[in-house]
Amino acid sequence: MTTKKAYLIGSPVAHSLSPKMHNLAFSQLKINAYYEAIDVQNDELQEIIQSFRRENFIGANVTMPHKNNVIKYLDELDITSKLSSSVNTIVPKDDKLIGFSTDGKGFIDSLTTYDVNIKEKKILILGAGGAAKSIIVQAALDEASQIIIAKRKNSSYQDTINFANTVTNTTNCTIKVIDINSSILEASINESDILINATPIGMKENDTSIIPAKYLNHNIIVCDLIYEPNLTPLLKSANDLGCKTINGKYMLLYQGARSFELWTGNKMPIEIVKAKFFS
Ligand code: NAP
């Protein structure tokens, strides 16, 4: 029987844990499929997506910088990827390629590992890129009571306000946008239950915390989507204050598990994958 193919497309992808995760899950469930990461540049994207229509294709993940660009080559989108304009999972169905965004669900699933439920919580999220938008849409659909987006006041600020208005009108959640560098950031953090860093600040060795430590209080749960390093400067200052802190490690696991289920109809053997790669 022919082996089905799954891919991660993006650039860079060499460091990704996804092939190991999915190949272990395929072999555990005796699914004849193989997952491979391929480095894809912008000018190669259309051709790669076309090849998915011809191949023995089971599904793909999409990562930076293609989460938005890929949309124009797909046939349909689920509600989260439509509202967030971000696709991290492609699923073939009846000769069509359908885009999904599992980042938001993966993040919210990861919180349950720490007994955190976002229902009726006030959330402040730093950044408004693909991962942030997927989390915002999912949190709004899952009945967070309020979401404040703090982002730089640059050319995409108005687009973020438009996005916030669209999600507010589609869900029961109030979403507003503030300038990350304005004086209301501290008060906005103070009125929130959960703070999420969805910017890349904290990944590099010499990065300092994205916000001053004095803006935090010990009651707030502080999350960072970054998992390498596992303790970013933001999480370190939150830990020092005694806050509950959560990094992006299990988001990676659970967004992958959601993709796996969309491709195969089977639950990923989470505990086996977790024990092997996430302990
Ligand atoms: P993205 O689409 O490039 O968005 C990045 C966001 O960060 C943008 O809103 C950008 O602001 C903001 N930003 C960048 N530099 C900034 C700075 N100096 N000050 C303030 N804001 C800044 O990236 P993404 O895909 O959403 O990823 C964001 C982070 O999440 C990355 O660290 C990524 O590794 C991580 N991530 C983790 C997982 C996981 O499974 N754990 C999954 C996805 C992403 P502008 O809007 O102003 O440009």
Side-chain angles (χ1 to χ4, degrees), residues 64 67 103 126-132 151-152 154 156 160 180 197-201 203 210 225-227 248-249 251-253 255:
M64 288 193 298
K67 286 184 175 181
D103 283 331
L126 305 165
K151 84 170 288 317
R152 298 184 285 196
N154 56 10
S156 56
T160 306
I180 195 169
N197 177 31
T199 78
I201 308 305
M203 283 177 110
I210 174 108
L225 305 196
I226 296 168
Y227 53 89
K249 179 170 82 166
M251 172 178 172
L252 178 70
L253 171 65
Q255 59 78 29

Side-chain angles (χ1 to χ4, degrees), residues 17-192:
L17 199 57
S18 294
K20 288 182 181 154
M21 263 168 63
H22 288 290
N23 285 327
L24 176 61
F26 286 143
S27 77
Q28 285 290 321
L29 297 186
K30 302 199 177 353
I31 295 171
N32 185 11
Y34 185 74
Y35 186 112
E36 188 184 348
I38 41 178
D39 201 293
V40 173
Q41 301 301 312
N42 274 324
D43 59 356
E44 299 166 321
L45 186 59
Q46 183 170 14
E47 199 183 322
I48 280 285
I49 302 297
Q50 280 310 109
S51 75
F52 293 164
R53 296 177 189 277
R54 296 187 294 267
E55 278 193 42
N56 200 8
F57 174 67
I58 194 168
N61 283 133
V62 183
T63 189
M64 288 193 298
H66 303 312
K67 286 184 175 181
N68 173 265
N69 294 343
V70 76
I71 289 175
K72 55 180 173 288
Y73 305 123
L74 303 177
D75 304 302
E76 284 173 24
L77 299 178
D78 80 325
I79 183 170
T80 312
S81 50
K82 196 180 284 177
L83 286 171
S84 62
S85 305
S86 175
V87 163
N88 80 331
T89 303
I90 301 174
V91 181
K93 193 175 175 222
D94 303 334
D95 293 330
K96 288 184 176 167
L97 294 178
I98 306 177
F100 292 81
S101 178
T102 67
D103 283 331
K105 279 202 173 86
F107 173 75
I108 290 166
D109 289 346
S110 78
L111 296 188
T112 59
T113 310
Y114 299 88
D115 293 324
V116 176
N117 186 334
I118 56 115
K119 194 169 176 183
E120 285 162 25
K121 296 287 192 313
K122 293 181 176 174
I123 296 173
L124 189 138
I125 188 157
L126 305 165
K133 284 185 172 150
S134 182
I135 290 170
I136 291 161
V137 171
Q138 199 59 51
L141 291 170
D142 289 359
E143 299 175 37
S145 63
Q146 170 184 289
I147 303 173
I148 299 174
I149 307 169
K151 84 170 288 317
R152 298 184 285 196
K153 207 158 188 181
N154 56 10
S155 58
S156 56
Y157 198 78
Q158 185 56 46
D159 285 347
T160 306
I161 293 174
N162 298 344
F163 159 77
N165 291 340
T166 304
V167 183
T168 296
N169 292 336
T170 316
T171 64
N172 287 324
C173 181
T174 305
I175 305 173
K176 56 185 181 184
V177 184
I178 63 166
D179 178 355
I180 195 169
N181 295 310
S182 75
S183 56
I184 56 166
L185 179 63
E186 184 173 6
S188 303
I189 291 173
N190 258 313
E191 67 173 84
S192 301

Side-chain angles (χ1 to χ4, degrees), residues 214-230:
K214 65 177 183 184
Y215 285 10
L216 299 173
N217 63 75
H218 71 275
N219 291 318
I220 193 164
I221 298 166
V222 181
C223 310
D224 205 317
L225 305 196
I226 296 168
Y227 53 89
E228 186 60 56
N230 65 21

